[in-house]
């Protein structure tokens, strides 16, 4: 017997706004038969194939400490870490810590609009070029 991950849940002050931000970051979508609304207490988004789902749930309190679980993101086929960093900052992420090293390795720690940390890594092409 094995347990499968149904989805990953995030506590949010504004579930809808968080679902919109992360849908843009990950190119995820909402269920067209059950679209997310601004006043929804829960908002789900999914990858194109439906294999990955994120659920944002309204809670009354703000994030107070560093998250114990976070997402590590890798740029898709086009572009690299620094281009993806610029895109994520333009979407509303904020930089928390720059862990890039002079040799090109490393990552950048970011926070989403509600302060949840996540990291942007190098792309597969950048790692293979070394």
């Amino acid at each position: 017997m094995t347990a499968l991950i149904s989805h990953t849940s995030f506590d949010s002050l504004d579930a809808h706004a968080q679902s919109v931000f992360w849908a843009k970051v990950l190119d995820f979508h909402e269920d067209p038969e059950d679209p997310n609304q601004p006043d929804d207490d829960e908002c789900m988004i999914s990858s194109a194939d439906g294999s990955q789902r994120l659920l944002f749930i309204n809670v009354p309190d703000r994030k107070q400490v560093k998250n114990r679980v976070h997402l590590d993101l890798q740029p898709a086929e086009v572009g690299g870490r620094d281009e993806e960093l610029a895109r994520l900052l333009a979407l509303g992420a904020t930089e928390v810590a720059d862990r890039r090293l002079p040799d090109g390795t490393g990552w950048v720690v970011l926070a989403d609009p509600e302060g949840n940390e996540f990291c942007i890594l190098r792309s597969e092409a950048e790692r293979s070029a070394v």
Side-chain angles (χ1 to χ4, degrees):
M1 183 177 251
T2 302
L4 301 175
I5 297 172
S6 169
H7 56 272
T8 303
S9 298
F10 291 85
D11 289 348
S12 307
L13 291 173
D14 185 339
H16 185 260
Q18 285 290 88
S19 73
V20 169
F21 171 81
W22 282 102
K24 290 176 183 174
V25 168
L26 299 170
D27 195 23
F28 278 28
H29 63 276
E30 59 188 38
D31 181 348
E33 295 180 22
D34 185 19
N36 298 325
Q37 301 296 324
D39 60 346
D40 287 347
D41 286 331
E42 297 183 355
C43 293
M44 179 83 76
I45 58 173
S46 304
S47 60
D49 66 2
S51 66
Q52 300 175 47
R53 302 185 310 162
L54 301 179
L55 177 64
F56 300 91
I57 304 168
N58 281 342
V59 299
D61 36 61
R62 295 188 172 279
K63 177 184 167 299
Q64 296 182 15
V65 296
K66 183 181 184 309
N67 7 333
R68 294 191 51 148
V69 175
H70 68 267
L71 302 177
D72 285 340
L73 306 180
Q74 174 181 307
E77 300 80 38
V78 179
R81 178 193 55 218
D82 296 342
E83 292 85 1
E84 185 65 1
L85 172 60
R87 185 182 81 85
L88 298 175
L89 292 171
L91 289 175
T94 55
E95 188 174 315
V96 174
D98 190 339
R99 305 276 190 234
R100 292 176 285 186
L101 300 174
D103 67 358
T105 60
W107 62 93
V108 180
V109 181
L110 300 169
D112 71 15
E114 290 195 6
N116 300 300
E117 295 94 359
F118 64 99
C119 296
I120 184 69
L121 311 173
R122 293 182 302 158
S123 68
E124 183 66 38
E126 289 171 307
R127 287 194 314 276
S128 296
V130 184

